[in-house]
Amino acid sequence: DAGVIQSPRHEVTEMGQEVTLRCKPISGHNSLFWYRQTMMRGLELLIYFNNNVPIDDSGMPEDRFSAKMPNASFSTLKIQPSEPRDSAVYFCASSLVGPTDTQYFGPGTRLTVL
Amino acid sequence: GESVGLHLPTLSVQEGDNSIINCAYSNSASDYFIWYKQESGKGPQFIIDIRSNMDKRQGQRVTVLLNKTVKHLSLQIAATQPGDSAVYFCAEDGGYQKVTFGTGTKLQVIP
């Protein structure tokens, strides 16, 4: 298996622009997670899907952030409009059943908002 | 995928020595704990886990110890190798199917 796939690996954009991050979970995994990692706040869970349905989005910072999972093999995290404080590494992870199963992380997308 | 660095506690260990990385948790209701390893430029990788009905669990070169009385978790790495250099996170499931990650400890292996 190729593991969790994320794209792009690096994204540099200007403040106010829309950013879309993409994730393909491991085939057969029913849960998908989006995390944000920064120096100041560490690794934070943004949102968690189970069977393509958002279960917990309490970590989503504000309305500028949205996430979708249209099918079992694809998810997006969108930031519109982006701000410099959104600069971080965004990880997608998947697990077989739920959050307390082993989570397999993708390589991350490093986002820089100028 | 690099994580924090400047503000992380750092443990420096000579190659071949044993490493002990500690983690304190705050939620006495947590019943599942996981250790992750994050190498520079990569996402976190599962190492080992333990449930609250156990005090100790061993893997290959790694051992996790759980002390529920003082809410303390440790990861022991035997015969530390240069490839063990990374940031190590403990994570806990405090209930409601939500796993919370700690801030991490950076392990530096000195050749």
Side-chain angles (χ1 to χ4, degrees):
Chain A
D1 197 316
V4 175
I5 299 172
Q6 290 187 248
S7 65
R9 291 295 311 276
H10 302 273
E11 176 80 31
V12 180
T13 190
E14 292 187 344
M15 182 174 63
Q17 296 298 307
E18 176 180 295
V19 175
T20 300
L21 311 181
R22 297 172 176 80
C23 175
K24 176 179 168 55
I26 292 173
S27 177
H29 281 192
N30 293 325
S31 292
L32 182 141
F33 312 84
W34 282 102
Y35 289 89
R36 177 173 67 178
Q37 188 173 45
T38 62
M39 291 180 66
M40 294 301 296
R41 301 175 67 89
L43 196 61
E44 303 173 278
L45 177 65
L46 300 177
I47 188 169
Y48 148 50
F49 291 86
N50 186 259
N51 292 321
N52 313 337
V53 176
I55 303 299
D56 181 359
D57 65 354
S58 59
M60 294 288 264
E62 49 198 270
D63 292 345
R64 296 185 298 106
F65 285 68
S66 62
K68 294 182 180 180
M69 192 165 185
N71 56 63
S73 59
F74 183 66
S75 176
T76 60
L77 177 68
K78 186 175 292 187
I79 308 172
Q80 166 64 16
S82 59
E83 297 182 2
R85 62 190 168 124
D86 301 330
S87 297
V89 180
Y90 291 82
F91 288 104
C92 176
S94 70
S95 71
L96 196 58
V97 176
T100 54
D101 288 320
T102 301
Q103 295 185 32
Y104 295 86
F105 283 76
T109 295
R110 176 176 292 279
L111 173 65
T112 302
V113 183
L114 303 174
Chain B
E2 67 189 56
S3 63
V4 296
L6 295 178
H7 305 289
L8 278 181
T10 300
L11 175 67
S12 295
V13 176
Q14 202 73 35
E15 181 179 356
D17 288 351
N18 297 333
S19 302
I20 300 176
I21 301 171
N22 296 305
C23 178
Y25 63 94
S26 57
N27 188 349
S28 57
S30 293
D31 60 2
Y32 177 63
F33 304 87
I34 317 108
W35 280 100
Y36 282 88
K37 172 186 180 183
Q38 186 175 22
E39 296 175 271
S40 180
K42 298 182 179 179
Q45 179 184 14
F46 172 88
I47 302 174
I48 192 168
D49 60 0
I50 188 169
R51 299 207 174 266
S52 59
N53 60 352
M54 302 173 69
D55 297 323
K56 179 180 179 179
R57 190 166 187 213
Q58 287 184 294
Q60 187 177 16
R61 281 202 309 119
V62 295
T63 301
V64 56
L65 298 177
L66 175 62
N67 185 330
K68 295 180 287 294
T69 302
V70 295
K71 291 185 283 189
H72 182 267
L73 193 67
S74 69
L75 177 71
Q76 300 179 359
I77 304 173
T80 312
Q81 302 169 0
D84 295 327
S85 294
V87 176
Y88 290 81
F89 295 94
C90 65
E92 62 181 295
D93 171 23
Y96 305 104
Q97 291 281 296
K98 189 159 187 172
V99 173
T100 304
F101 285 78
T103 53
T105 297
K106 185 175 183 178
L107 176 65
Q108 289 181 328
V109 181
I110 304 166

